Amino acid sequence: MTAYDEVIKAIEQGNTSFGPYGRAAASDESITNGEKELGLSFPASYLWWLKHYDGGEIGSDTIYAIDADGMGKPDIVDFAVTRDDFVPGHVNRLYFGGNDDEMYYFDIASGLDENSEYKVYLFDHLAQTDELYADSFADFLIKRINE
């Protein structure tokens, strides 16, 4: 069993709306261009996900990918660069999904850990609070799908 088998199983059995596994949603070129535009590196498990799924939803939460084809899909890069506080290379929070009440983000300010992962936080719009949610994007997927 690989490190991502549990993620694949959760996606297949959970309340998700993702493209089929193996569908290379984001090319290496589009990923590299996105990282350059943002001035950062995506975490390892998010990179894996970008290369095997095509964005989508977990319950009512939209999970952003990269809209390299300009089809209007929620795009992590577009969402970041359209924020008023965006400065390339100085992103502290990289939002990658959520809904009207809460958003999930990578804690860029703390840097990548030894596994090339960012911690994932949950930002509650109403309470204006941040809460550590998962140690990686893969852990986020498993936890969020199983809630």
Side-chain angles (χ1 to χ4, degrees), residues 32-92:
T32 299
N33 289 343
E35 289 177 321
K36 283 182 185 176
E37 188 168 357
L38 295 173
L40 53 80
S41 295
F42 293 130
S45 59
Y46 187 70
L47 286 170
W48 171 85
W49 183 79
L50 284 173
K51 293 177 182 183
H52 294 92
Y53 291 97
D54 192 19
E57 296 179 350
I58 300 172
S60 64
D61 294 334
T62 299
I63 309 301
Y64 304 156
I66 293 180
D67 186 19
D69 299 327
M71 301 297 291
K73 297 179 288 190
D75 185 300
I76 191 169
V77 177
D78 287 345
F79 187 80
V81 300
T82 57
R83 294 179 51 84
D84 292 338
D85 60 351
F86 175 72
V87 178
H90 297 282
V91 176
N92 291 319

